[in-house]
């Protein structure tokens, strides 16, 4: 079977970012064929190497977040390190950074400097508050972006403090917006004369972009969408319901015809035929009643029976999965979303598959996150440095 090409083959990306947002963006480019060179500080490297669950001296998250990338160590705080970075960036299509605004300029790596030697360079800059505005120079982590972007305010129960997902969703959102913006800029450069540009993405703006109709609803009606627990404001029924075996299932029966099928399924034909419940507006007025009726039905059956009956009636639903459920789910397995890789010590490790799936130019997993500085020698040789120069850099702890 012949190897299918990847869509970003021939594109070189230099990733200067650390931890979550920058590397998560770089991962997408690497999975789809770009030559992604990750620059890390000598010694300890990206702090993500030491975060959360460890295998030996390396984070398991590292193997996923930095797969298909090349690791180069380089001290960007030193003038010689900055000069090496400038040489490396002369041959790049994209540079990714997620430092506090002004840091790249302090290092002599601002876009104005880099674009003189490489006018086609695209710089993806991700930060808490963007490159402009009165808060641009403030530090901003994903949790801050989630809070100021509005997401935390609507998450949780109305009688309790706002809660967060046990995930860094803000960092993921800014990275996804960054990848989209960078691909737009790359297309513009390739189709419109070869000029690069800066893609400026702020964490709080990426989160705010997910806030649906909350702004016009506030402007028009003065409505401030708040926390509704497991429900969804203005969409009924769409909630989480308990089952007899202690599990939970999400049911989305908010379309009019689906609502009727659900009511018939659970033995409430009277509600299916009730004209006041024929549309979403009417159902919103009786949300508590409907949730109680549905919850009473799910509470009398185990989760597998509930899911089976709902699927038979073509009512959208899903058991709330733990990672243990995900690993053995046949749909995940059929779609190649659970991959097995081999670590350097021979240990097998399950990692997520590739998203999205392209029919003609699919992405793939070539190798897991590299050892610190694994590719320093080969990458610097590709930039024109000889072995003696590279050894000198090592001796002076520049690389």
């Amino acid at each position: 079977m012949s190897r299918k090409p990847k869509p970003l083959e021939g594109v070189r990306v230099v990733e200067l970012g650390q931890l979550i947002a920058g590397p998560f963006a770089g991962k997408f480019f690497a999975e789809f064929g770009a030559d992604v060179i990750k620059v890390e500080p000598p010694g300890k490297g990206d702090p993500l190497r030491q975060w959360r669950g460890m295998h030996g001296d390396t984070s398991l998250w590292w193997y996923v977040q930095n797969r298909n990338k090349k690791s180069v160590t380089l001290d960007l705080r030193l003038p010689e390190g900055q000069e090496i970075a400038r040489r490396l960036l002369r041959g790049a299509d994209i540079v990714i950074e997620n430092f506090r605004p002004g840091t790249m300029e302090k290092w002599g790596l601002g876009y104005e400097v880099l674009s003189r030697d490489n006018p086609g360079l695209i710089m993806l800059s991700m930060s808490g508050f963007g490159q402009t505005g009165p808060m641009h120079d403030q530090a901003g982590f994903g949790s801050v972006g989630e809070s100021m972007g509005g997401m935390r305010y609507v998450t949780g129960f109305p009688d309790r403090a706002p809660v967060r997902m046990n995930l860094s969703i803000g960092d993921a959102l800014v990275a996804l917006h960054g990848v989209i913006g960078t691909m737009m800029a790359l297309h513009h450069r390739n189709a419109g004369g070869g000029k690069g540009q800066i893609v400026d993405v702020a964490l709080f703006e990426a989160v705010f972009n997910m806030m649906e109709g909350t702004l016009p609803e506030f402007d028009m009606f003065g409505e401030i969408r708040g926390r509704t627990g497991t429900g969804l404001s203005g969409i009924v029924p769409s909630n989480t319901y308990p089952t007899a075996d202690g599990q939970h299932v999400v049911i989305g029966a908010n379309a009019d015809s689906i609502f009727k099928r659900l009511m018939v399924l659970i033995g409430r034909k009277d509600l299916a035929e009730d004209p006041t419940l024929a549309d979403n507006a009417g159902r919103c007025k009786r949300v508590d009643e409907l949730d109680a009726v549905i919850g009473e039905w799910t509470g009398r059956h185990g989760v597998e029976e509930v899911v089976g009956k709902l699927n038979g009636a073509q009512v959208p639903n899903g058991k709330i999965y733990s990672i243990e459920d995900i690993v053995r789910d046949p749909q995940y397995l059929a779609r190649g979303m659970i991959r097995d890789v081999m670590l350097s010590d021979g240990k097998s490790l399950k990692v997520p598959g590739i998203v999205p799936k392209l029919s003609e130019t699919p992405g793939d997993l070539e190798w897991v996150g590299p050892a610190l500085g694994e590719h320093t020698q080969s990458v610097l040789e590709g930039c024109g440095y000889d072995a003696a120069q590279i050894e000198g850099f090592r001796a002076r702890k520049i690389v």
Side-chain angles (χ1 to χ4, degrees):
M1 183 176 178
S2 61
R3 173 186 173 276
K4 288 189 174 183
K6 294 182 182 177
L8 296 180
E9 287 180 2
V11 174
R12 171 165 279 197
V13 179
V14 176
E15 179 191 300
L16 303 181
Q18 295 185 350
L19 292 174
I20 305 176
F24 191 52
K27 180 175 81 79
F28 275 91
F29 296 117
E31 289 172 341
F32 288 90
D35 178 24
V36 178
I37 299 169
K38 179 174 180 60
V39 175
E40 304 182 68
K44 292 187 176 181
D46 187 329
L48 189 69
R49 288 181 177 273
Q50 306 298 317
W51 274 27
R52 296 205 172 109
M54 304 284 289
H55 176 65
D57 61 356
T58 303
S59 164
L60 295 175
W61 190 3
W62 172 264
Y63 292 121
V64 176
Q65 184 85 318
N66 294 285
R67 57 195 187 187
N68 293 5
K69 300 178 187 178
K70 298 174 181 176
S71 172
V72 171
T73 53
L74 189 59
D75 193 335
L76 297 176
R77 298 168 302 176
L78 301 177
E80 282 186 282
Q82 295 159 9
E83 178 52 39
I84 294 170
R86 284 189 286 271
R87 185 183 292 199
L88 179 60
L89 287 162
R90 287 180 195 132
D93 297 285
I94 299 164
V95 58
I96 300 172
E97 66 92 9
N98 62 325
F99 302 111
R100 187 183 296 195
T103 301
M104 292 287 283
E105 288 75 11
K106 181 179 67 176
W107 289 340
L109 299 173
Y111 189 75
E112 183 178 351
V113 172
L114 298 177
S115 61
R116 287 190 205 126
D117 291 330
N118 185 356
L121 182 67
I122 296 162
M123 175 178 280
L124 170 55
S125 292
M126 291 172 283
S127 60
F129 302 103
Q131 302 298 308
T132 60
M135 296 180 67
H136 78 279
D137 59 352
Q138 292 190 27
F141 291 117
S143 56
V144 177
E146 292 161 28
S147 300
M148 293 187 64
M151 183 174 288
R152 294 283 184 95
Y153 192 85
V154 299
T155 305
F157 289 83
D159 59 341
R160 306 177 204 173
V163 300
R164 71 169 297 167
M165 292 186 188
N166 193 12
L167 295 165
S168 303
I169 190 67
D171 292 288
L173 287 174
V174 73
L176 290 170
H177 281 80
V179 170
I180 293 168
T182 301
M183 294 308 299
M184 292 177 184
L186 186 65
H187 174 75
H188 170 75
R189 187 198 73 177
N190 294 344
K195 186 171 175 56
Q197 59 183 300
I198 300 170
V199 179
D200 173 11
V201 192
L203 262 162
F204 82 100
E205 290 175 342
V207 173
F208 180 59
N209 199 34
M210 310 305 295
M211 293 301 293
E212 301 180 349
T214 53
L215 177 58
E217 289 164 5
F218 170 73
D219 185 51
M220 182 68 72
F221 307 127
E223 177 184 338
I224 300 176
R225 189 183 300 187
R227 297 179 289 284
T228 58
T230 58
L232 185 62
S233 293
I235 311 270
V236 178
S238 180
N239 212 328
T240 302
Y241 304 93
T243 60
D245 50 358
Q247 301 290 319
H248 292 85
V249 62
V250 167
I251 300 176
N254 41 285
D256 298 343
S257 59
I258 297 174
F259 171 74
K260 290 182 178 180
R261 291 201 298 271
L262 174 61
M263 292 300 103
V264 171
L265 170 67
I266 68 175
R268 293 302 304 266
K269 191 176 180 181
D270 59 315
L271 297 178
E273 296 176 349
D274 188 332
T276 67
L277 299 175
D279 59 24
N280 186 66
R283 293 191 292 273
C284 284
K285 297 174 182 176
R286 296 168 65 180
V287 57
D288 292 338
E289 174 191 353
L290 294 175
D291 279 340
V293 167
I294 298 167
E296 190 278 330
W297 176 77
T298 61
R300 288 189 278 111
H301 307 280
V303 68
E304 298 303 328
E305 184 180 1
V306 169
V307 168
K309 289 179 179 292
L310 291 168
N311 286 341
Q314 297 186 342
V315 175
N317 73 94
K319 173 187 170 182
I320 291 187
Y321 275 10
S322 69
I323 192 63
E324 183 179 10
D325 296 314
I326 287 172
V327 165
R328 61 192 182 201
D329 181 79
Q331 185 67 12
Y332 273 86
L333 297 173
R335 297 274 294 173
M337 284 308 299
I338 309 297
R339 300 282 296 270
D340 288 290
V341 298
M342 190 73 69
L343 302 183
S344 60
D345 63 358
K347 177 70 174 178
S348 176
L349 184 68
K350 292 187 185 301
V351 297
I354 306 296
V355 182
K357 302 188 186 312
L358 278 63
S359 62
E360 295 303 315
T361 55
D364 202 359
L365 197 169
E366 304 290 342
W367 65 84
V368 294
L372 180 61
E374 181 177 339
H375 304 92
T376 299
Q377 188 82 21
S378 60
V379 169
L380 293 193
E381 286 175 351
C383 290
Y385 295 105
D386 60 33
Q389 288 175 303
I390 296 170
E391 187 55 38
F393 295 149
R394 292 189 197 280
R396 298 193 298 280
K397 296 184 179 181
I398 297 165
V399 303

